[in-house]
Amino acid sequence: MKVIERISGFAGKTFTLWVLLFAVIAYLSPEHFKWLGGYIVPLLGIVMFGMGLTLELSDFQEVFRRPKEVSLGVIGHFIIMPLIAFLLAVGLHLPKDVAVGVILVGCCPSGTASNVMVFLARGNVALAVAIASVSTILAPIVTPLLILLFASKWVNVSVWSLFLSIVQVIIIPLAVGFIIKKFFGKQARASAKALPLVSVIAIVLIVAGVVAGSAEKIAQTGLLIFGVVILHNLLGFFIGFFFARLCGMDLAKQKAVSMEVGMQNSGLGVAIATAHFSPLAAVPSAIFSVWHNLSGSVLANIYSRMKDKNEKNEGIHTAM
């Protein structure tokens, strides 16, 4: 088990590298990875099941301790990213499928890696976990309504079908994982040591399948999609940070809200696009999976060096 734990830890630390590597391989040799397209939903279910195994009731205590800050974080996430996506789609006159794909990723709940980034950034991890958990639970209702609001300009949107899909790929695996941990805690804790490895493999396969299935269209619109995804993500980080500051939060909470706003559950975007729209609409989410881990890691390093006034003053008094 220790060997698996070490391999799992290594996979978690080098996650971005593996996603990037297999995305490139899948693009260059799509014939070897196209078959993965039919397994995106169960693969995402595995990731969410793993997340369920790590959930604790204490993760939701922050909602009751600081309902205002958690609510502001969730509201900021579900307003800022969809709105930025819509404005980019309209302002840049994006092709229909690309526009829908960018809006899909913008309407998803917080990303599964965001809490790790907040920890590395020395942000308020408890607040980040609460925002991610609440946004994920609200996703079956909020995400379809946001997609209807922002994407119906380009495509017909069935809110009920989207609701059922999100429940299937997010809520049910999450709930099953949580219940298993509740009743089989010892076994769940033991298996949780392998979760980073399982999650990395699942996400790598999802990205590889999407990239392989859309390799030709990526060749035609790849630079455009990359540019929009990068702009979308960076604006989310930036606006999320200053949104938290305007709401009167301290620096640690500003870092948490920034990461939770800017990082999306792009795997859900892939699943929704594949099931309800087009293969090209899944590409922005796949690229987002690669990019936001790169940008999140860099930003976490920058944030970790930032200190608020209280921390600086404490440092001065200690020196004296």
Side-chain angles (χ1 to χ4, degrees), residues 25-238:
I25 294 172
Y27 177 75
L28 296 174
S29 304
E31 65 278 5
H32 299 301
F33 296 92
K34 280 186 179 179
W35 61 274
L36 290 168
Y39 296 92
I40 287 172
V41 170
L43 285 169
L44 181 59
I46 290 170
V47 175
M48 299 315 299
F49 171 76
M51 182 179 173
L53 284 177
T54 65
L55 278 180
E56 302 276 359
L57 284 174
S58 59
D59 294 337
F60 298 93
Q61 288 177 359
E62 201 71 10
V63 179
F64 302 102
R65 282 184 196 151
R66 296 170 183 154
K68 180 182 175 182
E69 291 169 342
V70 175
S71 299
L72 286 171
V74 173
I75 290 168
H77 177 86
F78 278 129
I79 289 178
I80 292 169
M81 291 303 274
L83 190 56
I84 293 173
F86 178 76
L87 293 175
L88 287 173
V90 173
L92 297 176
H93 305 288
L94 298 179
K96 183 186 82 170
D97 290 333
V98 177
V100 170
V102 172
I103 288 170
L104 282 182
V105 75
C107 295
C108 288
S110 293
T112 53
S114 56
N115 298 337
V116 177
M117 298 302 176
V118 174
F119 172 77
L120 295 174
R122 297 182 181 177
N124 191 311
V125 178
L127 177 61
V129 170
I131 292 170
S133 301
V134 172
S135 69
T136 299
I137 291 169
L138 292 177
I141 296 171
V142 177
T143 296
L145 292 175
L146 288 172
I147 294 171
L148 175 66
L149 177 64
F150 290 109
S152 55
K153 171 183 170 67
W154 291 275
V155 290
N156 292 322
V157 177
S158 170
V159 172
W160 178 246
S161 296
L162 289 172
F163 170 82
L164 292 177
S165 287
I166 296 171
V167 169
Q168 178 189 358
V169 301
I170 295 287
I171 301 301
I172 292 176
L174 201 67
V176 171
F178 182 77
I179 291 168
I180 287 176
K181 182 174 183 178
K182 185 72 176 174
F183 291 99
F184 303 96
K186 187 177 180 181
Q187 295 89 335
R189 281 190 292 274
S191 61
K193 294 176 181 179
L195 285 179
L197 177 61
V198 174
S199 295
V200 167
I201 292 172
I203 294 172
V204 165
L205 294 177
I206 289 171
V207 172
V210 172
V211 170
S214 305
E216 291 182 12
K217 291 183 178 179
I218 291 175
Q220 298 169 4
T221 59
L223 286 177
L224 174 64
I225 297 175
F226 266 103
V228 173
V229 164
I230 290 170
L231 192 56
H232 186 199
N233 172 239
L234 296 182
L235 284 172
F237 284 144
F238 179 80

Side-chain angles (χ1 to χ4, degrees), residues 244-289:
R245 177 171 288 187
L246 285 172
C247 293
M249 298 185 197
D250 63 30
L251 181 60
K253 293 170 186 173
Q254 290 168 26
K255 295 174 184 178
V257 172
S258 173
M259 289 293 190
E260 293 303 329
V261 168
M263 298 186 75
Q264 306 291 94
N265 187 337
S266 45
L268 177 60
V270 169
I272 291 173
T274 304
H276 299 277
F277 299 104
S278 70
L280 184 57
V283 174
S285 292
I287 292 174
F288 206 101
S289 291

